[in-house]
Amino acid sequence: MIEVHRPHRNFYGRIKGHPLSRRQQAYLNEDLADWSLDHVTWVENPERQPIDLETIFGDADIRLEIGFGSGEHLVLQAEQNPKIGFIGAEPYVNGVAALLAKLQERRLSNLRIFAGDVRDLMDVLPEGSIAVTYLLYPDPWPKKRHHRRRFVTSENLGPLARIMRSDGIVRIATDIPDYARQALEELPKFGFEWLAQSPSDWRQPWPNWVSTRYEQKALRHSRVPHYLTFSRLRCSKSNVP
């Protein structure tokens, strides 16, 4: 698996859960290479040169999912939008194996995986290359002393702003009110504008939404999901993909 070379704090927790089954390990050993992005790791690309996305996706718009969990949302989006390129970044080994299992039945040519820290990926994504980014039920780091570990902090939002195109969309789903508050406070500092026009815009999921296992867990515990949409520039609601 890809090594993480970061001198600062992680915004995610553990990278491995319960022991992998023999089949799951086989997915990682035999199938991950077919779906992986090239020249992303520090070993492959120590000078951090931008990767050539056009060679992979042609002239398609590209969407990035940060922390895809088990891949439910990522796979559905890639299936429903075959002319759009999708990149999923996930450091959790069990989640990567779960996504690879789903891909056994779906040979999606418009999807690539980065099995590691998305900050390493953002280092080498070309400026203005991402049309839509999804951050769905990220690790909430609920204790106040851990809030600086959340993704929605300056050390992560600066690189995210760089890779987003000028009219790009960022979508965040969370069941933690304080995480939503922090996102609403921090993203505008980096040129992102919240597009909500009515309460339904953050209470109702987006079109083609697939409820992930993290959301189902939140609902079982009576936590209320928040769905936030930001744009790098103000655009009409009808133009949001």
Side-chain angles (χ1 to χ4, degrees):
M1 297 300 295
I2 294 170
E3 295 183 32
V4 176
H5 297 267
R6 282 288 164 186
H8 50 269
R9 65 187 70 90
N10 289 331
F11 64 88
Y12 52 86
R14 58 183 180 170
I15 63 172
K16 192 172 183 180
H18 57 77
L20 298 174
S21 68
R22 184 175 300 178
R23 177 173 293 182
Q24 288 174 319
Q25 192 62 57
Y27 291 150
L28 295 172
N29 295 341
E30 300 170 11
D31 299 325
L32 180 57
D34 294 337
W35 303 98
S36 291
L37 287 172
D38 294 327
H39 307 300
V40 176
T41 68
W42 289 83
V43 173
E44 296 170 329
N45 186 0
E47 296 182 357
R48 316 309 286 149
Q49 294 297 315
I51 57 178
D52 184 0
L53 294 177
E54 187 172 351
T55 298
I56 304 169
F57 298 111
D59 61 356
D61 284 348
I62 300 172
R63 300 186 182 188
L64 169 67
E65 184 164 341
I66 298 173
F68 55 72
S70 296
E72 304 101 321
H73 177 266
L74 183 62
V75 166
L76 178 69
Q77 290 293 329
E79 283 184 321
Q80 294 186 346
N81 299 279
K83 295 184 179 180
I84 293 175
F86 288 85
I87 300 173
E90 176 60 67
Y92 187 53
V93 174
N94 301 66
V96 175
L99 174 58
L100 289 170
K102 294 177 176 65
L103 293 175
Q104 295 304 304
E105 302 174 359
R106 308 169 178 88
R107 304 304 296 180
L108 299 173
S109 61
N110 62 330
L111 187 153
R112 293 293 184 274
I113 299 170
F114 178 62
D117 189 328
V118 74
R119 292 172 296 184
D120 291 332
L121 175 60
M122 290 193 296
D123 283 347
V124 296
L125 285 173
E127 183 175 351
S129 60
I130 302 299
V132 181
T133 292
Y134 302 99
L135 181 66
L136 309 179
Y137 292 94
D139 196 317
W141 294 106
K143 295 180 180 179
K144 186 173 182 179
R145 69 177 184 270
H146 292 155
H147 286 186
R148 59 184 180 174
R149 289 182 176 269
R150 292 173 173 174
F151 184 83
V152 289
T153 58
S154 59
E155 68 182 36
N156 302 318
L157 295 177
L160 178 63
R162 183 190 69 82
I163 65 172
M164 295 298 298
R165 72 185 193 191
S166 61
D167 59 346
I169 297 294
V170 174
R171 284 184 159 161
I172 300 175
T174 180
D175 59 302
I176 306 300
D178 187 66
Y179 200 105
R181 174 202 58 77
Q182 188 172 347
L184 291 169
E185 289 180 352
E186 296 299 323
L187 268 78
K189 298 177 183 178
F190 294 87
F192 295 101
E193 191 167 14
W194 188 29
L195 297 185
Q197 298 177 349
S198 68
S200 64
D201 290 330
W202 69 84
R203 293 174 180 169
Q204 299 297 323
W206 312 290
N208 303 320
W209 171 252
V210 54
S211 184
T212 68
R213 61 191 179 97
Y214 298 105
E215 180 171 86
Q216 291 302 310
K217 180 179 179 180
L219 293 173
R220 288 195 301 271
H221 288 83
S222 300
R223 296 194 294 268
V224 179
H226 299 69
Y227 307 95
L228 309 178
T229 299
F230 299 85
S231 175
R232 283 281 285 162
L233 289 176
R234 186 71 186 180
C235 61
S236 66
K237 190 174 180 180
S238 61
N239 290 331
V240 178

